[in-house]
Amino acid sequence: MTLSKFQPLRRLSHHLRRRGLAVSAAAVRQDTTLWTPTPLAGQYLQLRLQEPESKPSFLAIASPPSIAASKGVFEFLIKSVPGSTAELLCGLQKGDVVELTPAMGKGFDVDQISPPDNYQTVLIFATGSGISPIRSLIEAGFSADKRSDVRLYYGARNLNRMAYQERFKEWKSSGVDIVPVLSQPDDSWTGESGYVQAAFARERRIHSPQSTGAVLCGQKQMAEEVTSLLVGDGVSSEKILKNF
């Protein structure tokens, strides 16, 4: 296991070992099903420490499925909360052992917004640690470079709380325009302020609702309000993808 520090969010790379897959994780209890490569971006699993009273923590898989399949590596974005399992996870060292469940959840069904010629606009919304499965989606690839308008509205409290900024350039080169939205920016911030749903409401720019899809992950109120805006503009609810 390797741990890279990101305050106050941290990324945890976990390696597993099983037959036919080059992986490194010590023991998984007998009642835990063996891991198989995740077929969809946007899935999650439960993770706990090997302690009798350890409570499981639900974590979205942040790395693309191809990384799990080729390298046996899974990355998670973890927010350290005092007194929680997440705080203990952030204190782990290389070689420490954790237990995992199989991947769960339906993930993002990108077939609903394919082929790209038919869905030229894809609007992506993420808040806080909801960026984890969105990172998985972007880096797994959904033909963003073959679409005319792909936007990621990414909300965080401030830049110190905005994970994966070092990946923005790579995401943009893959065809995803990024709109950072800060709810509590400092005085030097000149970008979008407030909440993601408000930033989108100000901008909108949906030229063809029939050829528009969306992907949402994050705070419940954001997801509900963005969904309402999209449906109100004529976007089909079947084309608004969620991983829950």
Side-chain angles (χ1 to χ4, degrees):
M1 172 181 296
T2 59
L3 179 67
S4 56
K5 186 177 180 181
F6 189 102
Q7 287 288 357
L9 297 174
R10 302 187 183 188
R11 286 163 288 175
L12 180 65
S13 299
H14 188 74
H15 302 253
L16 299 177
R17 203 191 303 269
R18 73 174 182 86
R19 293 180 186 172
L21 183 62
V23 203
S24 82
V28 177
R29 289 183 182 172
Q30 291 182 354
D31 62 353
T32 301
T33 305
L34 291 175
W35 173 268
T36 55
T38 307
L40 293 173
Q43 290 186 300
Y44 61 92
L45 48 72
Q46 291 185 76
L47 187 153
R48 68 183 179 185
L49 303 176
Q50 281 197 315
E51 298 178 2
E53 302 301 321
S54 176
K55 295 181 179 179
S57 181
F58 284 87
L59 298 175
I61 301 170
S63 47
S66 60
I67 298 296
S70 64
K71 299 181 179 180
V73 174
F74 308 94
E75 295 184 359
F76 307 97
L77 184 65
I78 301 176
K79 179 180 180 181
S80 181
V81 178
S84 69
T85 299
E87 182 183 35
L88 298 175
L89 290 173
C90 288
L92 293 176
Q93 303 297 318
K94 183 176 181 179
D96 288 344
V97 176
V98 299
E99 298 175 339
L100 305 178
T101 67
M104 298 179 283
K106 63 181 181 178
F108 298 121
D109 185 6
V110 295
D111 287 344
Q112 291 292 328
I113 53 173
S114 298
D117 286 346
N118 293 348
Y119 298 94
Q120 282 289 292
T121 298
V122 175
L123 305 171
I124 308 172
F125 303 86
T127 54
S129 59
I131 194 64
S132 295
I134 296 301
R135 175 203 156 188
S136 180
L137 173 70
I138 293 173
E139 296 183 8
F142 61 101
S143 302
D145 59 341
K146 296 180 181 179
R147 306 177 196 262
S148 61
D149 181 16
V150 180
R151 282 172 267 159
L152 166 60
Y153 292 86
Y154 177 13
R157 182 176 298 175
N158 52 53
L159 287 177
N160 291 331
R161 298 289 294 270
M162 182 165 277
Y164 300 130
Q165 294 178 56
E166 75 281 2
R167 295 180 176 271
F168 286 1
K169 184 177 180 180
E170 176 186 341
W171 294 355
K172 187 171 179 61
S173 68
S174 73
V176 180
D177 289 329
I178 301 167
V179 183
V181 184
L182 304 183
S183 61
Q184 297 181 22
D186 61 29
D187 293 338
S188 65
W189 178 247
T190 59
E192 290 285 348
S193 300
Y195 294 104
V196 162
Q197 55 269 41
F200 173 63
R202 290 192 292 269
E203 209 174 23
R204 286 302 235 288
R205 289 194 292 119
I206 298 180
H207 302 298
S208 176
Q210 293 74 28
S211 62
T212 297
V215 184
L216 282 65
C217 191
Q219 201 253 0
K220 181 180 179 181
Q221 182 178 352
M222 178 277 290
E224 291 176 346
E225 293 184 12
V226 168
T227 297
S228 179
L229 290 169
L230 291 169
V231 171
D233 282 344
V235 178
S236 170
S237 60
E238 294 181 355
K239 307 304 176 182
I240 302 174
L241 309 185
K242 303 172 185 177
N243 65 335
F244 54 88

